[in-house]
Amino acid sequence: MSEVAADEMSVLSAIYCGKDEFELLEESADKGFVFRVKLLVEGIPLNIIFHLSPEYPRCLPVISVSSEDLSRHQCQSIKESLIKKAVELQPDPMVHELLSWFKENSSGFMTVATIAPTQKDEQGTWVALLHLDHMRAKTKYVKLIEKFTSELDLTGRLFLGRIILILLQGARENIKEYLHLQKTAKVDVDSSGKRCKEKMMRVLCETPLSDGLQQLRPYL
């Protein structure tokens, strides 16, 4: 495991020491470090997840940005800007520098008004595409997915392979409830076999179902 990454983790955890500001999500010799930093930027809570591989900082960190108060496009724009800046900072350790740079220039990222769904969109059928990093207790995990989708009247597909994806269709309120259940229920087990919550799920897309797109059959 990279000593550089471990040293930077120590620095970051000391700097972001407020409640919920820093959370170590995963640590292993094979994968390195995965952690979340929560920022309050222009009054908007922003979650940034970094994955530092064992080859860090020779390899760029994998970055994920999310916020309930920003559109998917805005989060993607912030992510792309962070990656572009990270390239400039290689091969030095860069996460602390990235976060400092982002906070100093945050006003430029927040000038676009948050895009709120219209009432019509909220009442229609929505589609969400989710990404899971892994499933250790696959059989149990799949049964819980089927249970949640059935109870919430959602349809969809589960794609199991090198990339694990969940495609959901249904009322937006029900999709939101599904996301809450998957993050708060103990759906999998950790490396020691202990039941654990899903901490590495990413919402890749959440949007109203476009006219002309086919409705999915009930979840199998």
Side-chain angles (χ1 to χ4, degrees):
M1 190 177 296
S2 169
E3 293 184 7
V4 174
D7 290 343
E8 190 162 23
M9 284 278 298
S10 298
V11 172
L12 291 168
S13 61
I15 295 173
Y16 298 96
C17 57
K19 183 179 179 182
D20 297 329
E21 281 190 335
F22 182 91
E23 181 182 7
L24 177 62
L25 302 177
E26 187 172 353
E27 176 184 354
S28 70
D30 293 335
K31 291 188 176 183
F33 295 98
V34 181
F35 58 94
R36 177 188 57 79
V37 176
K38 185 174 183 179
L39 303 176
L40 189 64
V41 182
E42 301 287 313
I44 296 176
L46 190 70
N47 290 300
I48 306 178
I49 294 177
F50 294 92
H51 178 191
L52 308 185
S53 72
E55 290 76 31
Y56 173 85
R58 288 183 290 109
C59 291
L60 290 174
V62 177
I63 302 174
S64 174
V65 178
S66 63
S67 173
E68 293 183 356
D69 297 319
L70 296 177
S71 69
R72 184 168 60 90
H73 175 76
Q74 285 173 297
C75 290
Q76 181 65 23
S77 178
I78 292 171
K79 173 184 172 179
E80 291 173 356
S81 297
L82 289 170
I83 293 173
K84 183 177 179 181
K85 184 64 178 179
V87 172
E88 297 177 8
L89 296 172
Q90 268 189 311
D92 297 323
M94 64 193 71
V95 176
H96 173 52
E97 189 75 20
L98 273 177
L99 292 171
S100 298
W101 169 81
F102 176 72
K103 289 188 291 184
E104 290 173 3
N105 297 275
S106 60
S107 59
F109 296 105
M110 302 300 178
T111 53
V112 181
T114 302
I115 302 173
T118 64
Q119 185 175 5
K120 179 180 179 181
D121 285 340
E122 290 280 2
Q123 294 175 347
T125 300
W126 278 64
V127 178
L129 182 63
L130 318 178
H131 173 266
L132 301 181
D133 183 75
H134 61 270
M135 286 183 179
R136 288 193 171 96
K138 185 179 294 184
T139 301
K140 182 178 179 181
Y141 205 141
V142 171
K143 286 183 178 179
L144 283 173
I145 292 173
E146 293 173 343
K147 179 177 182 289
F148 294 159
T149 53
S150 176
E151 291 176 349
L152 294 169
D153 196 27
L154 296 172
T155 57
R157 294 287 186 274
L158 174 62
F159 302 92
L160 293 173
R162 292 185 63 185
I163 298 177
I164 304 172
L165 299 173
I166 302 174
L167 180 64
L168 299 173
Q169 275 189 13
R172 191 174 193 225
E173 182 179 350
N174 291 353
I175 290 177
K176 285 183 176 180
E177 179 61 24
Y178 176 92
L179 297 176
H180 173 74
L181 286 171
Q182 185 138 342
K183 290 179 181 178
T184 57
K186 293 183 177 180
V187 294
D188 204 1
V189 296
D190 60 20
S191 57
S192 65
K194 185 179 178 181
R195 294 177 63 197
C196 64
K197 299 176 183 179
E198 178 58 69
K199 294 183 178 180
M200 298 182 67
M201 180 182 73
R202 290 190 295 145
V203 180
L204 302 180
C205 174
E206 187 179 0
T207 185
L209 180 66
S210 301
D211 293 337
L213 286 181
Q214 185 178 2
Q215 291 273 346
L216 296 175
R217 294 180 181 178
Y219 204 104
L220 301 179

